[in-house]
Amino acid sequence: MIRQAAVRDRLAEVFTANLRDITVYPRTPTGSINFPCLVIGMPEWRPHAEHGMDVWTWPIVVCVAMSASAPAAAVDELDAAWPAVAQVLHQLALVDQTIGGLCSDMIIDSSKFGAVSIAGHDYPAQSIQLKLFDI
């Protein structure tokens, strides 16, 4: 079974090393938030879902502050931030599909725009779904 804390910590390490202008939160922040940010969410687990392998889908959520006076600016900021995160994941998938032996394989499944609620506030977000496979 995948060790969730180890995966979360390794992903946070990779993102922190490669993203200079995005604050990385390995877990949902509870206090003040520095935007733009990336939050590593809680995974969905499906046992023996694909070819006998467990599938863990991790949401990697990129979010920005929302300004009531300039909502288009928030979307522009998100448009600039989330592709950088996707690129880091893409590079990780190319060089280390097992995340240092923490899983059997990984793929970037999809992404979608929406909102994320953190500490009772909603923020514009792009959620990238990272699938990890484990035998």
Side-chain angles (χ1 to χ4, degrees):
M1 181 170 270
I2 287 179
R3 297 182 341 235
Q4 294 181 55
V7 169
R8 181 182 306 282
D9 291 345
R10 178 64 183 136
L11 289 173
E13 180 182 294
V14 169
F15 287 129
T16 299
N18 290 284
L19 298 170
R20 300 287 177 235
D21 299 323
I22 298 174
T23 304
V24 177
Y25 293 100
R27 291 153 184 80
T28 303
T30 56
S32 62
I33 304 167
N34 294 319
F35 293 102
C37 68
L38 173 155
V39 178
I40 300 172
M42 289 298 293
E44 172 189 340
W45 175 55
R46 293 183 297 132
H48 310 294
E50 293 186 28
H51 307 288
M53 289 190 287
D54 291 356
V55 178
W56 297 74
T57 304
W58 289 76
I60 309 298
V61 182
V62 182
C63 56
V64 297
M66 181 57 146
S67 168
S69 62
V75 172
D76 291 345
E77 185 178 19
L78 187 58
D79 279 343
W82 82 265
V85 173
Q87 182 62 32
V88 169
L89 283 173
H90 180 71
Q91 289 299 317
L92 179 61
L94 289 175
V95 299
D96 186 9
Q97 287 181 307
T98 68
I99 313 176
L102 295 172
C103 64
S104 300
D105 197 7
M106 68 173 271
I107 62 168
I108 302 167
D109 184 49
S110 62
S111 73
K112 73 177 194 176
F113 175 76
V116 63
S117 182
I118 301 174
H121 300 282
D122 291 337
Y123 301 101
Q126 185 78 10
S127 181
I128 302 167
Q129 304 303 308
L130 178 65
K131 274 187 168 181
L132 305 183
F133 301 90
D134 191 44
I135 297 175

